[in-house]
Amino acid sequence: MVNRYTNSNTLSSTSRFRVRKFSPSAITLYTLFIFAFSIFLFFFYLRNLILVQDQDPPTLPSFSLQSRSNQVPELHFYDKQLWDSPFSHGLHSCVKPTSKYKGAQGFDRYLTVRSNGGLNQMRTGISDMVAVAYIMNATLVIPQLDKRSFWQDTSVFSDIFDELHFIESLRGDIRVVEELPKNLEAVPRARKHFTSWSSLGYYREMKSLWNEYQVIHVAKSDSRLANNDLPLDIQRLRCRAMYHALQFSPPIENLGKRLVDRLRSRGERYIALHLRYEKDMLSFTGCTYGLMDAESEELRILRENTNHWKVKDINSTEQRLGGFCPLTPKEVGIFLQALGFPPSTSIYIAAGEIYGGNTHLSELSSRFPNLIFKESLATPEELKDFINHASQSAALDYIISVESDVFVPSYSGNMARAVEGHRRFLGHRKTINPDRKGLVEIFDKLVSGELEEGVALSHLVQRMHKNRQGAPRKRHGSLPGLKGKARLRTEESFYENPFPECICSSGSKLKKT
């Protein structure tokens, strides 16, 4: 009975779900419909594929230069690589003193200073003297500027710097006065050549001079303080002096900003090229590569007759192979082209008179014809007060270089280091520092025919300079194996890279200034 019940239920269920049988003609029609629909889909997608191939793909970057539409994404991608500043990792400038800091109170002791060198050598030296005055608890008299350097500039402090701003901005640090009090002009002074790269302890020892003198005169200001191992508050005081207090005089500041605005109004980004191919630099370094015999002899005579240049006999070939020579205008052109900058790039020449004039400059302008000089950017009326004042003219170059999209120095001199440090302080703006020693090897291979300009050269140069574009890093110490004062000469300048003392991370307890 159970089996009968089970079988009847099974039969009933089967009957309910029995599949209906189709006739042969229905199956044939169904098959033909599926086949026709598949053919339709095939031709539909084939047509769309052909249309897509006939159109330019604007969303994909292309490295072909055959069509304008393909260039747009390429240039957009490549521009970022060429022009964008390195990633700053949230770092920012920080120069506020710590809670333990107290300003100097030495109102009856005076430090007089003669600043030596060109504009940027004087600027860094004055910043050092501000710190030295603080350490020695002295009043700083407005420094005298060098009038005996190669450029023979007769400018005084107030011609180049905003004197009132300098005095006021340092009020919480040291006392600064315009001149020595009349009653002290005739008193005996201690005349000192402070030792280069000296520590805090050295200047504390120098305070013993106050026991005998009320006035100390410093004959030289450049490199009087160590780059490293100084207290945080001393380092930040140097930065406040360099980047805040030493503001250029209003005429220089105003014209500099106008010239930057004119460059920007063209709607183009620009490179500031510190082309250190000037007579004094070539003579001082003994670099004569690519010059005619008469030019080389002229530079040798200048070096021989300049008393404060101690080294007279220089092997030009050894200098160049060691990477101690400025890049020539031709070498700069090859370098920038290999990095990927197009011929239309605007290049502001931040320099004095180029040695040999157009004879040598043409080797750069043939590759980059859009060279811009102060004389083409400003009117003769605007520049008339700067004629025969090389330091004031250099201040204009400094402003334009600091504000540029990319800064490229052809030689690591005082201006190159000062501008690079300032750009780091302002947010690590892009600065491409040529590896001159490595580039000389490449340039010589081009001359010998071992290498040709093109993709291979670009890859070499770009790889060589991947990590030489101003990205954040701590200041380099001295070279290994050196002892005594000699090791200090090899340290990276504090003003070339004020990180970490004057550049902080976002997590720093001290607020951004």
Side-chain angles (χ1 to χ4, degrees), residues 198-490:
S198 293
S199 65
L200 187 72
Y202 171 84
Y203 286 106
R204 284 178 173 166
E205 289 179 8
M206 289 297 104
K207 290 173 70 174
S208 63
L209 292 170
W210 298 130
N211 296 330
E212 299 181 42
Y213 301 95
Q214 200 171 348
V215 181
I216 297 174
H217 177 69
V218 183
K220 285 189 174 183
S221 64
D222 65 319
S223 304
R224 299 300 113 178
L225 265 176
N227 291 302
N228 302 310
D229 303 321
L230 290 175
L232 178 62
D233 274 324
I234 299 299
Q235 299 289 56
R236 289 191 172 175
L237 174 56
R238 294 168 89 180
C239 288
R240 290 198 295 277
M242 181 73 167
Y243 304 124
H244 291 178
L246 279 174
Q247 184 172 294
F248 292 119
S249 65
I252 293 174
E253 198 76 26
N254 293 336
L255 180 56
K257 289 178 179 178
R258 283 203 303 273
L259 298 185
V260 170
D261 288 342
R262 286 173 195 171
L263 280 165
R264 295 284 182 218
S265 67
R266 301 181 179 200
E268 300 172 350
R269 289 165 289 196
Y270 71 94
I271 294 173
L273 171 62
H274 186 45
L275 188 59
R276 201 66 169 94
Y277 204 72
E278 299 147 327
K279 189 175 183 178
D280 69 318
M281 178 51 64
L282 296 178
S283 177
F284 176 76
T285 57
C287 296
T288 59
Y289 176 78
L291 298 179
M292 296 183 294
D293 291 342
E295 293 174 319
S296 300
E297 180 62 12
E298 182 183 23
L299 297 178
R300 187 196 67 77
I301 293 172
L302 173 61
R303 184 169 64 255
E304 191 67 35
N305 294 335
T306 305
N307 294 329
H308 59 276
W309 293 350
K310 303 302 181 184
V311 181
K312 304 297 183 182
D313 188 15
I314 300 175
N315 186 311
S316 179
T317 302
E318 290 180 359
Q319 281 285 92
R320 181 172 177 272
L321 292 176
F324 304 120
C325 288
L327 297 181
T328 70
K330 180 180 180 179
E331 290 170 341
V332 171
I334 296 172
F335 172 63
L336 293 177
Q337 204 167 59
L339 286 176
F341 288 100
S344 61
T345 301
S346 295
I347 300 178
Y348 176 81
I349 303 297
E353 184 179 352
I354 303 302
Y355 188 58
N358 288 332
T359 301
H360 296 302
L361 198 58
S362 62
E363 296 175 319
L364 171 61
S365 61
S366 63
R367 295 171 183 268
F368 293 93
N370 196 12
L371 300 183
I372 304 167
F373 299 84
K374 281 188 292 292
E375 294 74 15
S376 61
L377 202 57
T379 67
E381 180 68 21
E382 288 172 323
L383 292 178
K384 70 176 184 179
D385 293 333
F386 295 88
I387 297 173
N388 299 323
H389 293 290
S391 293
Q392 295 184 49
S393 182
L396 293 175
D397 286 337
Y398 185 91
I399 292 171
I400 295 170
S401 296
V402 168
E403 294 298 324
S404 64
D405 298 283
V406 177
F407 176 64
V408 180
S410 67
Y411 183 74
S412 58
N414 292 310
M415 176 166 170
R417 290 193 291 268
V419 170
E420 178 177 353
H422 203 157
R423 290 171 68 83
R424 287 180 177 277
F425 182 78
L426 292 174
H428 292 90
R429 297 173 179 178
K430 190 163 191 172
T431 299
I432 305 177
N433 231 319
D435 179 355
R436 295 189 305 279
K437 185 175 181 179
L439 286 172
V440 164
E441 296 180 16
I442 290 177
F443 296 146
D444 285 348
K445 287 182 179 180
L446 289 174
V447 173
S448 66
E450 295 178 60
L451 184 65
E452 293 183 354
E453 292 189 52
V455 175
L457 172 65
S458 292
H459 285 168
L460 277 175
V461 172
Q462 290 170 17
R463 186 166 65 246
M464 183 185 294
H465 293 85
K466 182 179 180 181
N467 297 319
R468 300 178 67 94
Q469 305 201 19
R473 60 170 177 78
K474 289 187 177 181
R475 190 167 57 256
H476 296 315
S478 58
L479 293 177
L482 298 175
K483 297 181 179 180
K485 288 288 184 181
R487 78 186 190 282
L488 301 179
R489 292 179 178 272
T490 66

Side-chain angles (χ1 to χ4, degrees), residues 84-153:
D84 280 9
S85 296
F87 186 59
S88 64
H89 302 280
L91 297 171
H92 57 76
S93 60
C94 52
V95 295
K96 284 187 176 180
T98 66
S99 58
K100 298 178 181 179
Y101 181 82
K102 294 181 180 179
Q105 303 297 320
F107 293 108
D108 57 343
R109 299 163 180 171
Y110 293 85
L111 206 63
T112 63
V113 177
R114 192 184 75 83
S115 297
N116 61 302
L119 173 70
N120 290 288
Q121 196 171 351
M122 290 191 292
R123 288 179 72 244
T124 57
I126 291 169
S127 299
D128 275 3
M129 285 300 106
V130 168
V132 169
Y134 174 83
I135 297 168
M136 297 186 67
N137 199 26
T139 293
L140 178 67
V141 179
I142 288 292
Q144 304 164 9
L145 302 189
D146 191 350
K147 296 178 175 60
R148 297 183 294 176
S149 63
F150 175 84
W151 297 108
Q152 301 288 309
D153 193 331

